[in-house]
Every structure is written in C-alpha cells, then in structure tokens.
Amino acid sequence: MTLTAEPVKARALELDFIACGITDPSPTAHGDELDRWLARGYAGTMRYLHRQAGRRKDPRAIVEGAKAVVVVLDNYYGLQDGPDGRDGPDGPDGRDRGVGTEPKVAMYARGEDYHRVMAGRLEKLAEFLRQNGARVARSFADAGPVPERELARRAGLGWIGKNTMLVRPGVGSWFFIGSIFTDLELPADQPFELDRCGSCTRCLDACPTAAFVEPRVLDATRCISYLTIEQKGPIPDELVGSMDGWVFGCDVCNEVCPWNQRFASPTRVEAFRPQGRLRGVDPDFFDRMDDAEFERRFGGTPLERPGLAGMRRNFRAAFTRSTHG
Ligand code: B12
Ligand code: SF4
Ligand code: SF4
C-alpha cells in the first residue's frame, strides 16, 4: 500500500495538531553543535543528554527500520489567560501584583500533563499509519532521545530562533513537538533553511539570568527552567536574586518574541486549559505542607518532578528580591 503525505497531514490536523511535516531519520546536520554544547558543560546534571547524544546525532539508531519521521506541533497557548496571563502574578482581576507576591508557572505546565495529552493523540496518528500499511509506528513527545527541534526544522515546520526555540512563521513558538518514527516511505518535506530572526535580539536581552552565551547557545545551568525543574540541590546564590518570580519553568524568552506577540492564538486542546494550581498562594504555601498533602494535591502534575523540597527551594529563590523592589 502506498500512502502519500497529504492524508497523514490531514489526519494530524483532525487530531488538533496545528502543523505536520515529514522528514527522514538521517544524521542531523548539527551534531557538532550538540557535542560542543555537552563538552562545555551546558547540560549541567541532565546526564541523559550525554547518554543519548549518539542517537540524537543519528536518529536512524532510535527506531529500527524507520524510514520516515512524521513531526507534529501541538499548540498550548493559554485559553483563558491573555498574552501576559499566568497562574500568577496577575490576579483574577488581571492586575499585575508584581514580583514577590504570587508565583509564576510556565504556560506549558498550567494544564494537564502534556506528555499524556499528546501521547493519546499521537497514538491515534500512529494507528492511522498502521491502518495504511506501517509495521513500525512509534511515537515520542519530549521523552526519548529524539532531537525534536532539529527534526521539526528539517520537516519544514520552522526555524531555530536565537532563543533555541523552534519558531513557526505565522504561529510563533508556544507549541510542543511530537514525532512518529515509521517504516512507511513517506516523501520528505523541504527543510526550513531561512533564519527569520533577522537583527532582533529581544530574547537574548530579556533573559533574567543572562543564560544565552550567544545566539542559539543556551547555558542550561543558568536557565530558570533548568534551575526550577531539572536541577537537584540548591539554586546558586549568584542567580537566586534573578528568578523574577518564576517558581516552575520560565516563559520570558517566548513572551518577548515578536512572532508570539503577533501570532499566538489560543489552543483548541481543552486539556491544556490552565488549572490555576498555584493561583493566589502565598510565599509560605509549601513550607506549611507535608509530603502526604503535596502528593495528594500535586501528584500526577508537572510539579511532581521538583517535588516538595524542590518547590520549597523554588519559592524561596523566586521571592528573593534583587532589582525589583
Ligand atoms: C533538555 C531540554 C531543555 C533544557 C535545555 C534547553 C535547551 N535549549 O537546550 C531546559 C531544561 C533548560 C529546557 C527549557 C525549556 N524547554 Co525544553 N527540552 C529539552 C529537551 C528534552 C532536549 C533539548 C536538547 O537536546 N538540548 C540540547 C541542545 C544543544 O539541542 P537543541 O535545543 O535540540 O538544539 C539543536 C538545534 O537547535 C540544532 N542547532 C544548533 N545550532 C543551530 C544553528 C542553526 C542555524 C540551526 C538551523 C540548528 C542548530 O542543533 C542542536 C543539537 O541537535 C527537548 C525535547 C527533545 N527531546 O528534544 C525539550 C524542548 C526543547 N523543550 C521545550 C520547551 C517548551 C521548553 C521551555 C519553553 C519550557 C519552559 N517554559 O520552561 C524552556 C525553554 C528554554 C529555551 N530557551 O530553550 C520544547 C520546545 C518546543 C519548541 N517550540 O521549540 C521541547 C522540544 C519539548 C517538546 N517536545 O515540545 N528544555
Ligand atoms: S526560559 Fe527564561 S531563563 Fe531560560 S533562557 Fe529563556 S528567558 Fe532565560
Ligand atoms: S525574540 Fe527575536 S531573536 Fe529571539 S527568537 Fe524571537 S525573533 Fe528570534
């Protein structure tokens, strides 16, 4: 059976993915960047990135027999919150109460766990491939050794912005990337080769912790997202005063991007709707809580990753003032 790209893309859109492109699993053109990045220690304690490097550079080693990779984008841009809306610091009245009063949670983590939300819909797309003759159709969403941004760029879905995000013309970058490795020989799209950032440097200038070493090179060990979610142990003293109220992830380099400011539109995926988990809480919220209560309230949510000790650490750092007064 021969399947063309069009029905696959149509099925992806039906499943509320906002875009779909196809590439092959051949070695990436940017393996050297990954090696340099790892060698300079920018991955910090994310040791899995070292272990996965070989497969990230040569995606043929990820799924045996795969001949094509179907890449999809999943918009998570907030439904009820406005462009500056957050779980904090804006109150229900929309008034910004300023840093130091309410915690900010990155937009991607405000709804249901995206791994689960994406997995179900990716599996439906994989099923469609199987119905059309695929013997191999394995899906990934932010789990596994897949160089997702690079494959998405190669599938024609956007360019790598100076903030390292995949940015899509007419869309911006508020989306997740998912992929399906299949043995179907689907025709590949043209890679996205243009750099649409031009002379803009807003993301580099706005980063609260100056985490960009140069355009497209992020020292993750300075990034608030890494410090609040991935890192074990204390947040370095030097950075504690720069957390700008963020207690889980950080959206600054996405928020300031003109492509997002101009084009972001609310997701159709209800499960990404913000749940306001930390709305209205005070700086001592986690200090008053024990493990059992944390598990009851935040088990199965993204906050489980840093855990109670991590969230206490994040709150202490986020509410330490530096330049904000
Ligand atoms: C580790 C990781 C992190 C780390 C490190 C981030 C980083 N920039 O490397 C931390 C914890 C800091 C992080 C933070 C965030 N992350 Co993250 N993260 C990942 C993960 C698991 C691996 C990324 C990785 O390999 N990094 C190492 C660098 C070297 O690789 P890379 O970023 O893929 O870069 C490649 C290309 O850029 C290319 N390249 C390099 N230079 C150049 C130059 C040119 C000209 C070109 C064309 C290509 C190119 O080569 C690189 C190596 O292959 C991916 C999922 C995945 N499996 O890929 C999600 C992922 C990148 N994260 C994602 C998100 C949403 C975020 C946050 C926005 C979450 C938040 N709000 O807190 C922030 C954004 C911070 C930022 N500016 O990157 C999304 C990004 C979606 C998108 N639109 O791009 C991903 C794809 C997860 C997903 N499935 O949706 N993340
Ligand atoms: S997520 Fe925040 S801290 Fe990390 S690079 Fe972007 S602006 Fe900087
Ligand atoms: S803020 Fe400017 S430089 Fe940064 S990714 Fe967006 S367009 Fe590119």
Side-chain angles (χ1 to χ4, degrees):
M1 212 181 307
T2 330
L3 186 63
T4 59
E6 282 64 37
V8 179
K9 293 181 181 181
R11 181 71 187 124
L13 298 184
E14 248 171 49
L15 290 164
D16 283 336
F17 293 112
I18 55 162
C20 175
I22 294 165
T23 184
D24 62 52
S26 58
T28 68
H30 295 279
D32 291 350
E33 275 96 339
L34 179 60
D35 283 339
R36 256 198 309 274
W37 188 80
L38 291 170
R40 288 162 88 177
Y42 294 151
T45 57
M46 297 183 289
R47 299 299 307 170
Y48 70 93
L49 290 172
H50 291 267
R51 285 196 301 277
Q52 296 174 343
R55 282 169 291 167
R56 282 177 182 274
K57 288 189 283 183
D58 185 356
R60 285 173 306 187
I62 299 174
V63 176
E64 211 186 313
K67 299 204 178 78
V69 187
V70 178
V71 187
V72 294
L73 307 183
D74 204 4
N75 180 19
Y76 63 80
Y77 187 71
L79 279 173
Q80 63 206 19
D81 287 350
D84 298 321
R86 300 165 172 156
D87 263 7
D90 301 334
D93 53 1
R95 210 155 38 88
D96 186 341
R97 303 204 197 108
V99 172
T101 54
E102 273 192 48
K104 299 184 224 174
V105 173
M107 192 183 297
Y108 85 93
R110 292 179 207 155
E112 276 175 41
D113 183 353
Y114 66 95
H115 297 99
R116 252 202 320 258
V117 177
M118 288 182 79
R121 288 153 55 237
L122 277 170
E123 193 41 43
K124 287 186 183 157
L125 190 56
E127 189 49 40
F128 179 76
L129 299 178
R130 286 185 209 106
Q131 283 161 0
N132 285 280
R135 277 159 304 151
V136 176
R138 194 162 151 213
S139 58
F140 297 89
D142 199 26
V146 181
E148 292 171 337
R149 288 163 163 167
E150 181 59 17
L151 290 180
R153 185 194 68 78
R154 230 163 63 181
L157 295 174
W159 77 99
I160 309 287
K162 289 179 190 172
N163 57 6
T164 76
M165 301 300 292
L166 184 87
V167 192
R168 179 165 172 80
V171 171
S173 56
W174 296 112
F175 50 74
F176 302 112
I177 304 172
S179 60
I180 302 178
F181 284 61
T182 177
D183 61 346
L184 290 178
E185 294 201 41
L186 296 165
D189 284 293
Q190 284 296 320
F192 201 105
E193 302 288 7
L194 295 173
D195 171 7
R196 307 282 300 272
C197 286
S199 58
C200 174
T201 57
R202 283 199 210 175
C203 52
L204 310 180
D205 303 337
C207 175
T209 54
F212 294 105
V213 185
E214 55 187 90
R216 299 185 178 83
V217 179
L218 172 68
D219 178 354
T221 68
R222 295 185 68 89
C223 172
I224 294 169
S225 186
Y226 167 85
L227 294 167
T228 55
I229 304 171
E230 301 295 333
Q231 196 199 224
K232 311 276 176 283
I235 290 170
D237 288 345
E238 176 211 350
L239 297 177
V240 160
S242 307
M243 304 298 282
D244 232 2
W246 291 98
V247 295
F248 189 94
C250 166
D251 281 336
V252 173
C253 58
N254 284 290
E255 284 172 349
V256 298
C257 180
W259 293 87
N260 283 328
Q261 294 186 347
R262 173 133 187 239
F263 294 110
S265 65
T267 175
R268 295 161 58 99
V269 182
E270 276 293 317
F272 292 140
R273 185 181 284 279
Q275 300 186 336
R277 288 184 194 99
L278 296 182
R279 191 173 286 281
V281 307
D282 62 75
D284 300 327
F285 179 65
F286 285 110
D287 288 332
R288 291 192 301 270
M289 190 175 290
D290 62 13
D291 284 320
E293 191 185 349
F294 182 84
E295 177 53 32
R296 189 174 53 75
R297 292 179 68 153
F298 299 106
T301 79
L303 269 51
E304 225 177 9
R305 196 166 168 97
L308 179 56
M311 289 310 294
R312 284 182 179 155
R313 170 201 66 185
N314 294 350
F315 266 56
R316 274 193 291 277
F319 292 117
T320 302
R321 284 164 190 270
S322 57
T323 49
H324 294 79

